Amino acid sequence: MIGDLIHRIEKAPMKFPKVTVVLVSAALLFVLWDQTREQPQPVDASRLSNLRANPVELSAAVDWIFNQIPEYCSGATGEGSGAESHGDCVEKAEARTSTCRRMLYDQFPSVVASEAVFRDVSLTAMDCLVPRSGLVQ
């Protein structure tokens, strides 16, 4: 009985995994397309100076804010970029970026059209990225 089953399995034609080939090909095409498309230019700080006349998307503002992590850590630790506490701060902040980004996208409008909204986004992001609980100034 087992020998008969093994004999039938050996004689069964092997099916070509079409679905797997299609899915892998689609994934490779997507990666290739993503690598070749033009990457957006980073937002310059001057672009954020007159938001009422020239609003920006929240994602662009958040990208600019997240690029300031080393400066936030310098202020929070009182240390320069070579100090161990500064490096730890940057590492922890970078680990929080996806959580903070999600929170900002849920809490704020998709377009930043005023300095007040940008200030609120910045302060909320800084507090999320580099929490400074218990610090009294």
Side-chain angles (χ1 to χ4, degrees):
M1 179 158 175
I2 293 179
D4 187 42
L5 181 62
I6 292 173
H7 182 67
R8 277 193 274 168
I9 291 173
E10 288 175 349
K11 295 274 184 182
M14 186 85 165
K15 289 187 177 182
F16 188 73
K18 295 175 190 170
V19 173
T20 303
V21 170
V22 169
L23 290 175
V24 169
S25 298
L28 288 172
L29 285 172
F30 176 77
V31 169
L32 180 64
W33 169 79
D34 190 49
Q35 294 293 323
T36 59
R37 70 185 177 125
E38 186 176 323
Q39 299 298 322
Q41 295 298 319
V43 174
D44 185 11
S46 63
R47 172 71 175 85
L48 302 169
S49 63
N50 189 4
L51 295 170
R52 190 162 309 282
N54 196 9
V56 297
E57 290 185 23
L58 179 61
S59 60
V62 169
D63 288 345
W64 184 85
I65 293 166
F66 282 19
N67 284 333
Q68 308 306 308
I69 288 175
E71 287 80 11
Y72 301 150
C73 286
S74 292
T77 63
E79 304 279 337
S81 62
E84 184 178 340
S85 61
H86 182 271
D88 290 343
C89 175
V90 169
E91 188 176 312
K92 289 177 183 175
E94 288 175 349
R96 290 187 196 101
T97 56
S98 59
T99 303
C100 295
R101 189 177 293 272
R102 223 176 353 237
M103 182 262 305
L104 292 168
Y105 290 156
D106 289 344
Q107 190 171 344
F108 292 98
S110 62
V111 174
V112 178
S114 72
E115 281 73 18
V117 172
F118 181 73
R119 180 197 64 231
D120 292 345
V121 171
S122 299
L123 292 174
T124 304
M126 286 189 301
D127 188 47
C128 182
L129 292 168
V130 185
R132 298 174 73 172
S133 63
L135 183 64
V136 178
Q137 293 184 355

